[in-house]
Amino acid sequence: MGIVLAPSRGLRASLGSDRITQYDAPVGCLVVNPAGVDSTLAWPETRTNLVVAIPPDVLSELALQEFDLGNVELQSPDFGTVDPVALGIAQRISVELTGKAISNELYLDSLVTLFSTHLLRTYTSRMKQLPSPKGGLSAKSARRVQEYLREHFTEKVHVAELAAVAGISPNHFIVRFAKTFGMPPHRYLVNLRLDMAEELLAAGEVSIAEIAYMAGFSDQSHLATTMKRYRGKTPTELRFSQ
């Protein structure tokens, strides 16, 4: 899937045939290229867009979990079709990938899950219109997820595995988690990592670089950037303020 982030003129494209279509692509223009379908695309000038590639088996599994449908196939919209919902998610992905800070993997995973669910809901003809989740997690599911995160917060955590722990589909998990805890899963994970880092900083027995690794950050700079953003101080400032 490709979504246009800045207007692009004079695109020449084909999808599934030899017929070439020339069109101007406004912001939010979405192109869906199903797996196994030949396509071509040529452009006369630099273009700005986001490309999201989702393995067919992953998409099929998501369709089964979210909509109880197997063997789904995406249908490509007409060239030039604008999708505001897909654009909003794509812009958030782009900001996360191009920012100065290291990308939050669970946040990106959540955005791609939301993006994929939207595509399935919008561009699959057999889709059942199931109601959106309204409530939060059950007390039992919330407790299981909390325990799982406390045990694994220093590791790479994915939406699908958290949803499995909660016993619900990935898209419903993202929505219900936020309603239960007042924040999205990636923010909850960041808080757990920062809490651990602050405890180790207060103890003063381990170097900041080691603390970053122990708390699940990629390096000392990643810890410093994240802590400054969410706690208002750097690790060094916190250590010497004790």
Side-chain angles (χ1 to χ4, degrees):
M1 283 69 65
I3 186 151
V4 176
L5 300 179
S8 187
R9 298 177 60 85
L11 272 66
R12 292 173 54 82
S14 69
L15 184 62
S17 72
D18 295 329
R19 185 169 65 87
I20 302 295
T21 300
Q22 181 167 325
Y23 66 102
D24 296 333
V27 172
C29 175
L30 175 71
V31 176
V32 177
N33 190 168
V37 176
D38 292 333
S39 65
T40 62
L41 178 64
W43 55 96
E45 56 189 18
T46 301
R47 62 194 179 100
T48 303
N49 66 323
L50 180 82
V51 175
V52 179
I54 305 170
D57 59 331
V58 173
L59 199 63
S60 295
E61 179 65 22
L62 187 63
L64 188 62
Q65 293 173 332
E66 296 292 341
F67 306 105
D68 195 26
L69 285 176
N71 300 319
V72 297
E73 293 185 6
L74 291 177
Q75 297 180 338
S76 303
D78 295 335
F79 287 125
T81 297
V82 173
D83 187 325
V85 175
L87 173 62
I89 300 173
Q91 288 172 329
R92 291 156 66 187
I93 294 175
S94 179
V95 168
E96 185 67 15
L97 289 173
T98 58
K100 294 182 180 179
I102 295 176
S103 301
N104 184 300
E105 293 180 341
L106 184 55
Y107 181 44
L108 287 175
D109 192 28
S110 298
L111 290 175
V112 172
T113 299
L114 294 174
F115 189 80
S116 303
T117 303
H118 168 69
L119 292 177
L120 287 168
R121 191 185 298 275
T122 309
Y123 302 106
T124 302
S125 60
R126 295 172 55 226
M127 188 55 56
K128 300 176 182 178
Q129 294 302 316
L130 300 181
S132 299
K134 295 181 178 180
L137 297 171
S138 67
K140 185 177 181 180
S141 292
R143 184 170 60 254
R144 286 203 305 260
V145 171
Q146 280 185 306
E147 291 173 352
Y148 186 87
L149 284 170
R150 290 194 186 106
E151 292 177 6
H152 300 278
F153 72 90
T154 62
E155 308 166 15
K156 287 185 179 180
V157 180
H158 300 283
V159 171
E161 64 188 271
L162 293 175
V165 171
I168 57 178
S169 66
N171 182 66
H172 281 213
F173 171 78
I174 295 170
V175 176
R176 290 182 175 179
F177 185 99
K179 289 182 177 180
T180 300
F181 295 103
M183 65 185 74
H186 73 275
R187 180 64 188 275
Y188 191 95
L189 185 70
V190 166
N191 282 341
L192 288 176
R193 290 175 175 175
L194 289 176
D195 288 345
M196 179 181 182
E198 287 189 358
E199 291 179 8
L200 293 171
L201 286 167
E205 299 175 356
V206 184
S207 70
I208 295 177
E210 290 177 292
I211 289 173
Y213 175 76
M214 294 169 65
F217 296 93
S218 57
D219 54 32
Q220 183 172 336
S221 176
H222 185 200
L223 169 61
T225 301
T226 306
M227 186 166 282
K228 182 68 175 180
R229 178 181 180 184
Y230 291 110
R231 301 292 165 92
K233 291 185 178 181
T234 66
T236 302
E237 291 171 338
L238 278 172
R239 166 156 281 179
F240 288 103
S241 67
Q242 303 299 325

